[in-house]
Amino acid sequence: MNSSSAVLILDKVSKSYGNGLAVNEVSLNIRENEFFALLGPSGCGKTTLLRMLAGFETPSAGCIYLDGLDISPLPPNKRPLNLMFQSYALFPNMTVRKNIAYGLEMERLPEAQIRQRVNEVLSTAQLTELADRKPNQLSGGQRQRVALARALVKRPRVLLLDEPLGALDKKLREKMQLELKRLQHESGITFIVVTHDQEEALVMSDRMAVLDGGKVCQCGSPSELYENPNSRFVANFIGVSNLFEGLRGAEQRVMVNGHELKVEPQPGAVRGEAVAVVVRPERLQVLGGQGGECDNQVQGQIVEVAYHGLDTNLHVKTALSDKPLIVRVPSSQFEFAHFSSGMDIRLGWQARHARVLTH
Ligand code: ATP
């Protein structure tokens, strides 16, 4: 990647606590005006990484550059970065307008300028009508927007958000994901968001880094990570995967439990090496009696039918793995084919829709 377009560069940043490494040589380039997500399971080091960017923790090794300058020696209040905490920490006795203005008043900006900037942000965050209310007169989503407005009004170079939607229920969360993306886009500020929710990261971010055990496993756009995971961990963590463990056979073949699966040619493939073949649920097809045109076919039995509204997931037991495969079919297909538990079906997929993983 061209590092000149990067606002923030992390160069082999590590953080140890005693004998434990919370963050292990993380290198990332975060671009101008990007919505970047740090994603990973609990304890993978996301928050520690964010706190190092904000200046609340000091790296044990490595450097952090903002616009080309090493910011490691700067205390939090001297960094043009703003961290929005998980708890919104609004002042309960102040109105929405006052909460938002507070940071600018602390900077002693002229009153007229404060008023103008606060009005702008109120409008962007769709809070103008609520400007005179106190936090306890707002809904969870509205309080969240105030917290965001309060961070945005300071026009940080980069806004850091730790699980910004963590306190909201599912429905509101989904609405606010799009809202957050819109606010990022309209403000033109680079956002770095920590989340453990892969769906949220897929929906919101331009690019994301998946972390595990303090290390970056993979970094890329949501579709790159979903379509081309580089490891079993990423394949399992992002979306739903069907994973078949096997050994690489002759050219473009992987042997899985005595079945020969056809895969795409891969440079450097070593015959006999242990690999996993991954196929996403929407890439599996339910085949009719004749078997269709698929490169790979397998017989199975439906063990569960899980209705999700738009889609239905069929859980299908096959000889390829101990775990049933998950096949996603549009629920509208039910008009034509009735699927039920105990039914025998034949599944198929094209070699180009499978990925072979060596890690
Ligand atoms: P979560 O999603 O649960 O918030 P996380 O990915 O944000 O997790 P971190 O909070 O960064 O994870 O923690 C990473 C590792 O570092 C964990 O094993 C944690 O126990 C450890 N850790 C974090 N802070 C400290 C600390 N102050 N002292 C000792 N160990 C710490």
Side-chain angles (χ1 to χ4, degrees):
M1 197 198 114
N2 177 7
S3 65
S4 64
S5 63
V7 179
L8 201 60
I9 298 177
L10 285 79
D11 185 16
K12 293 190 178 155
V13 173
S14 296
K15 177 73 187 177
S16 52
Y17 294 110
N19 292 333
L21 257 182
V23 172
N24 189 355
E25 295 205 345
V26 166
S27 293
L28 290 171
N29 285 5
I30 293 160
R31 300 170 191 159
E32 182 88 50
N33 201 357
E34 184 163 56
F35 198 123
F36 193 92
L38 293 169
L39 174 72
S42 182
C44 73
K46 313 178 287 291
T47 301
T48 306
L49 198 54
L50 207 68
R51 288 176 59 80
M52 285 194 279
L53 297 179
F56 294 113
E57 298 281 356
T58 314
S60 312
C63 288
I64 300 170
Y65 300 95
L66 183 73
D67 292 322
L69 287 176
D70 181 1
I71 56 167
S72 311
L74 297 179
N77 60 351
K78 293 276 185 288
R79 297 185 181 200
L81 299 156
N82 205 334
L83 176 63
M84 200 184 97
F85 291 97
Q86 233 160 12
S87 62
Y88 311 139
L90 301 178
F91 300 114
N93 54 332
M94 291 185 193
T95 61
V96 167
R97 179 184 294 281
K98 198 83 181 132
N99 260 287
I100 297 172
Y102 185 79
L104 301 183
E105 285 167 0
M106 288 298 100
E107 283 180 30
R108 301 188 186 285
L109 290 187
E111 215 172 292
Q113 201 179 334
I114 294 180
R115 200 172 322 115
Q116 189 204 339
R117 274 169 65 171
V118 170
N119 282 339
E120 269 172 29
V121 166
L122 280 169
S123 159
T124 315
Q126 293 168 357
L127 287 166
T128 309
E129 311 279 291
L130 306 172
D132 298 321
R133 292 208 196 163
K134 301 261 176 73
N136 66 357
Q137 297 168 314
L138 300 174
S139 72
Q142 291 163 344
R143 273 203 287 275
Q144 210 274 350
R145 292 217 298 273
V146 179
L148 265 169
R150 202 173 52 166
L152 289 174
V153 80
K154 296 193 74 177
R155 297 184 184 161
R157 193 78 178 96
V158 178
L159 181 60
L160 309 170
L161 304 109
D162 192 357
E163 296 277 0
L165 309 178
L168 308 178
D169 66 41
K170 190 170 170 352
K171 191 112 186 128
L172 189 55
R173 235 182 130 104
E174 282 169 7
K175 181 169 164 250
M176 289 304 294
Q177 286 166 4
L178 301 176
E179 188 79 346
L180 209 58
K181 203 173 160 74
R182 180 185 68 81
L183 282 170
Q184 187 275 327
H185 187 72
E186 284 185 11
S187 64
I189 291 170
T190 301
F191 276 26
I192 304 178
V193 176
V194 156
T195 177
H196 65 274
D197 182 335
Q198 50 93 19
E199 248 180 70
E200 186 163 295
L202 288 176
V203 170
M204 295 196 300
S205 58
D206 297 313
R207 285 192 311 142
M208 57 209 242
V210 177
L211 287 121
D212 186 36
K215 275 186 166 301
V216 174
C217 304
Q218 195 172 357
C219 178
S221 71
S223 61
E224 273 163 13
L225 267 61
Y226 185 81
E227 301 293 346
N228 285 308
N230 65 0
S231 60
R232 292 170 176 85
F233 178 80
V234 174
N236 278 320
F237 199 74
I238 308 263
V240 177
S241 290
N242 295 301
L243 226 82
F244 317 125
E245 295 291 341
L247 295 176
R248 217 187 264 278
E251 216 176 293
Q252 295 187 50
R253 295 284 185 275
V254 172
M255 297 305 296
V256 175
N257 273 348
H259 289 253
E260 201 180 59
L261 302 185
K262 184 157 189 268
V263 296
E264 291 274 87
Q266 223 175 4
V270 181
R271 197 168 173 169
E273 77 181 325
V275 293
V277 176
V278 57
V279 191
R280 296 294 188 181
E282 66 278 12
R283 298 296 192 183
L284 288 172
Q285 300 172 34
V286 179
L287 303 175
Q290 297 311 308
E293 298 290 308
C294 282
D295 297 329
N296 295 291
Q297 295 176 28
V298 64
Q299 192 65 35
Q301 188 178 49
I302 299 179
V303 290
E304 202 181 313
V305 179
Y307 179 71
H308 291 274
L310 203 58
D311 299 310
T312 294
N313 283 348
L314 307 177
H315 297 234
V316 181
K317 187 89 194 87
T318 69
L320 294 179
S321 61
D322 294 338
K323 262 175 60 181
L325 307 195
I326 297 182
V327 187
R328 185 171 304 151
V329 291
S331 298
S332 54
Q333 270 194 17
F334 276 69
E335 286 168 25
F336 311 105
H338 283 280
F339 300 112
S340 59
S341 219
M343 195 172 148
D344 289 327
I345 57 170
R346 206 163 171 72
L347 301 175
W349 71 92
Q350 305 293 14
R352 69 175 187 280
H353 291 148
R355 297 287 168 267
V356 181
L357 307 173
T358 52
H359 290 97

